[in-house]
Amino acid sequence: MFLNSFEHGNSLVFFKTTSSWLAMEKIKKTILWDTKLKQSNPVSTLTELPPLGMNANNIKEDYRRYFSYTLGRDKYCRSLHYSYSALVLTLRDRLLERSKKTRYAYHESKCKRTYYLSLEFLMGRMLSNAIFNLGITDEVFKGMQELGLILEEVSEAEHDAGLGNGGLGRLAACFLDSCATLQLPVMGYGIRYEYGMFRQYIENGEQVEEPDHWLRDGNPWELERPEYTCRVHFGGRTEFYRSDDGRMLARWVDTHDVLAVPYDIAIPGYGNGTVNTLRLWSSAATDEFDLGEFHAGSYPESIASKNAAECITMVLYPNDASENGKVLRLKQQYFLASASLQDVICHWVQIHGNDFSKFAEKNCFQMNDTHPTIATAELMRLLMDEYRLEWDAAWNITRHVMSYTNHTLLPEALEKWPVRMFQELLPRLLEIIYEINAHFVSEVARRWPGDIERQRRMSIIEDGHDSYVRMAHLAIVCSFSVNGVAALHTRLLTEGLFRDFYEMWPEKFNNKTNGVTPRRWLASANPGLGRLITEKIGNGWITDLSQLHLLKEFADDKEFCLRWREIKQQNKKRLAAFVKADCDIDIDSSVMFDVQVKRIHEYKRQLLNILHVIHLYDRVKRGDVANWTPRFVLFGGKAAPGYAMAKTIIKLINNVADVINDDPKINEFLKVVFLPNYRVTAMEIIASGTDLSEQISTAGKEASGTGNMKFMMNGALTIGTLDGANIEIREAVGDENFFLFGMTAEEVAELRKNYDPNAIIRADEDLLHVMQLLTSGHFNQFEYKIFDAIIRSLTSPGDPWMTIADFRSYVNAQKRVAEAYHDQEKWTKMSILNTASSGKFSTDRTISEYNNDIWKMSPVPV
Ligand code: JNB
């Protein structure tokens, strides 16, 4: 007989699994953390502490105390890590002080709250952002200087918190900054991965992945909150029983449980005293042993089973557009959803008891893509099974609190889970999903009687030999709001992927064009430009980016343009030094910096860019260099470790770069670099040093893009297709300040029917040359056939990305770019107008729209 046990005090308590289930549940809950509740509240913890000082001396004093005592270092310590840690602890105190005030303000105002559920928060470094938002940059700089330290060097000791893949994860981080700055009661819930996004090295031109054990030296920002630990169930089975009041209730039994331990990170608003919270869950084993093995003498095996539990939050999945049904990933998703909902509900019950009548009025959950969407069914389970609400009451709450954001149009990125996997891992959740689906499908049937095909298309369950749970359908059915992340993306969703749902519930669908936080991506990443802007129009732009339009009147001011150009020059030098340090290649900072940094994916078409590079190389070789604009073409980005084509693209870029950079006759015209390990911290240097931003995805494929906004804000010009937010960027800055090329989404769809890339190649002499260089093995002289897969895909009539179709139009646009760069005065004016028109792309605007249309909260001043 399988037994469960848990340790209580000194005695092990044993229960037969099912018969004593209720008794055990009761006790388990109370001893999760610490049974000893405070009997009285000692007055000392209730009285307010005096506020912590914010000047250089106060910072210095605290720093020295942390360095010498808490960390125990002395004057012989050479490692910057401890200086960094001592400074973070000093700042964390100031953040915790404000965080407490913010919590009290939220509590006392009884405000509505929103929870941002996301498997990814790509925070990057947090030190300079915290200092900046606290408004003490000068004081900290001074304090450190007096201690003989350079703040910038100390900052360099921080690891990037790489808890995300790309756009979706960084968007979540920018959102948190804007929510705190707008004083909105928003809490982020995520996973505290032990290993973040892998570190990328390039060896022999190929990507090599290395684990990113970012927590190895500890994370001084986080505050462990073991008292809020909760228990997440997996496996087991469900059974029905009659409750005291005679109702039939379900319960989930024989489960394997995992503990979720929260770690909090403070999220300061800019200059307003608000500090919100990002709560990250870490998995831990319960202290229950598998006593079957225990008594059979397999003590080590029974202890080893702890590993499985601790594994859940071990590593971030490094896929940015697809995922192939791994059970560990589903565990991560449910772990996040369940722990976060339990946390919110526990807090609710503490204040309101079991009265959920106002729960929907006061709470909202924003789901970042379908990844945390199991939260919908989990909320139903908690309300019904744990708090005994009837189905209708639970459903009425669920459908009024859940909202869903879609981030991708790629069909292969739409998550679906095998029903069998669900049945094994989350049997009670599957039951609930089936019931939600039964109600839903009958609603479809009432609306479109007899339309069986529509019912089949819309069903949450995809039936077949292997059945699947379609997570996007679950998300849409259970949410009151569904949004895309750029105007085109939202339109394509309602016309394509989600058309049936749009016909059924048009009122659910809305657009929220993405943004980026101007605090990190302009003020901090480009302090030189930030100062110049403030000098001209004041500092209101930092919290109201639309004010940047005031710069337009200076676009013809000679002196202003000169200073603008000088700052760009400085930033290009900084970027060149960064490239030199990482790749040992010298770049002349007066040439055009042409940059494409983002995840490597076929739809983003790094291949189109490299085809153009090869074309430029071919032109130089042919001596076609009249009126040449020298360029430095920079690539960066990670390939998902299992995505073979993306990895081959990296190899091709590197091989082309080697041929070009090793040829002194080419070098004065062209240099190409693949920068390894692209990440948030790299972008902070790249964005401000870029002249030309490459946003060249196949139209209809890039949901929004956010890198495009960072570049624009920092005065880069864009060469781009009519895709994602590019369309809105072009509208904002005007066609004359944007280099447009390529097919529209509609033209792509039309041409697909009879696409003949080989005919296009034959008809275009330049393209023919480029393809001949590729097929002749010019870039893989001793690496036989390694680029065949790329050539096949480019020349295949079935190529979904239709790279060849846009080549001519792209090359022509690049010619216009080169000409425009010749006229530096005109270029500078266009650069100014780009920054001046970027006001819309602040996440402050995005978040205000989320709040006005979806969350409907009032700001809470602290
Ligand atoms: C993502 C992303 C999409 C799917 C998965 C993981 N999407 C990540 C990006 C879009 C950009 C857009 C940003 C922010 O909205 O990062 O989101 O600007 O255009 O590509 C994913 C992971 C695993 C399984 C399934 C999907």
Side-chain angles (χ1 to χ4, degrees), residues 120 165-172 175 317-324 329 333 368-371 405-410 412-415 417 484-486 489 512 514 599 603-604 701-709 724-725 850:
E120 303 187 15
N165 275 286
L168 166 151
R170 182 55 228 177
L171 185 74
F175 276 9
Y317 273 88
N319 298 329
D320 77 328
S322 65
E323 185 45 65
N324 29 26
R329 170 75 175 185
Q333 297 186 348
N368 202 16
D369 216 292
T370 53
H371 315 156
T405 305
N406 173 284
H407 293 269
T408 176
L409 287 155
L410 302 184
E412 65 267 32
L414 288 185
E415 292 191 297
W417 295 102
V485 291
H489 171 229
K512 295 286 166 284
N514 283 166
R599 288 301 290 257
Y603 86 78
K604 295 178 187 282
K701 296 297 177 190
E702 187 71 89
S704 162
T706 44
N708 46 4
M709 301 168 184
Y850 272 90

Side-chain angles (χ1 to χ4, degrees), residues 683-720:
M683 186 55 160
E684 286 169 12
I685 293 164
I686 295 169
S688 64
T690 294
D691 294 308
L692 183 66
S693 152
E694 300 270 353
Q695 309 300 334
I696 60 179
S697 51
T698 312
K701 296 297 177 190
E702 187 71 89
S704 162
T706 44
N708 46 4
M709 301 168 184
K710 294 164 199 168
F711 284 120
M712 178 197 202
M713 225 170 252
N714 284 280
L717 276 61
T718 304
I719 182 166

Side-chain angles (χ1 to χ4, degrees), residues 64-261:
R64 291 177 51 169
R65 192 162 39 77
Y66 278 118
F67 187 83
S68 306
Y69 302 136
T70 307
L71 301 173
R73 306 293 131 171
D74 59 26
K75 62 183 179 182
Y76 300 110
C77 173
R78 312 294 312 156
S79 162
L80 267 177
H81 168 73
Y82 294 99
S83 307
Y84 156 75
S85 300
L87 180 56
V88 171
L89 293 173
T90 302
L91 295 166
R92 196 183 74 168
D93 287 346
R94 272 94 187 145
L95 293 170
L96 288 174
E97 192 182 21
R98 286 160 183 74
S99 160
K100 187 170 78 176
K101 288 214 171 101
T102 306
R103 272 197 314 277
Y104 288 0
Y106 292 167
H107 182 82
E108 278 150 26
S109 72
K110 300 188 167 67
C111 56
K112 182 178 185 183
R113 298 174 196 231
T114 292
Y115 305 95
Y116 199 78
L117 304 183
S118 178
L119 272 280
E120 303 187 15
F121 286 92
L122 190 40
M123 303 297 285
R125 285 180 180 157
M126 290 178 283
L127 179 57
S128 47
N129 182 246
I131 295 172
F132 183 75
N133 280 12
L134 284 171
I136 51 175
T137 305
D138 293 343
E139 294 297 320
V140 175
F141 181 87
K142 187 165 157 236
M144 291 290 105
Q145 199 176 37
E146 288 167 12
L147 290 164
L149 290 161
I150 300 163
L151 181 55
E152 224 181 272
E153 272 179 29
V154 176
S155 300
E156 290 290 313
E158 181 167 7
H159 290 284
D160 268 42
L163 309 185
N165 275 286
L168 166 151
R170 182 55 228 177
L171 185 74
C174 285
F175 276 9
L176 293 182
D177 183 80
S178 282
C179 289
T181 297
L182 293 167
Q183 303 201 294
L184 294 174
V186 174
M187 182 159 168
Y189 276 114
I191 290 182
R192 180 180 176 271
Y193 300 106
E194 200 77 30
Y195 292 83
M197 189 63 198
F198 64 83
R199 261 197 308 278
Q200 178 196 55
Y201 291 88
I202 300 297
E203 261 178 44
N204 185 33
E206 280 163 49
Q207 166 171 301
V208 179
E209 301 103 26
E210 189 174 272
D212 163 46
H213 198 183
W214 75 294
L215 288 172
R216 198 188 48 198
D217 308 321
N219 174 8
W221 291 110
E222 66 186 13
L223 186 70
E224 188 182 358
R225 296 295 219 137
E227 70 275 31
Y228 296 128
T229 298
C230 40
R231 186 177 273 268
V232 178
H233 308 301
F234 292 101
R237 62 193 172 82
T238 64
E239 64 179 25
F240 291 87
Y241 69 102
R242 200 169 287 283
S243 67
D244 323 336
D245 54 353
R247 286 171 55 204
M248 281 307 284
L249 296 177
R251 66 186 167 210
W252 187 4
V253 298
D254 293 353
T255 53
H256 298 280
D257 295 352
V258 176
L259 299 183
V261 184

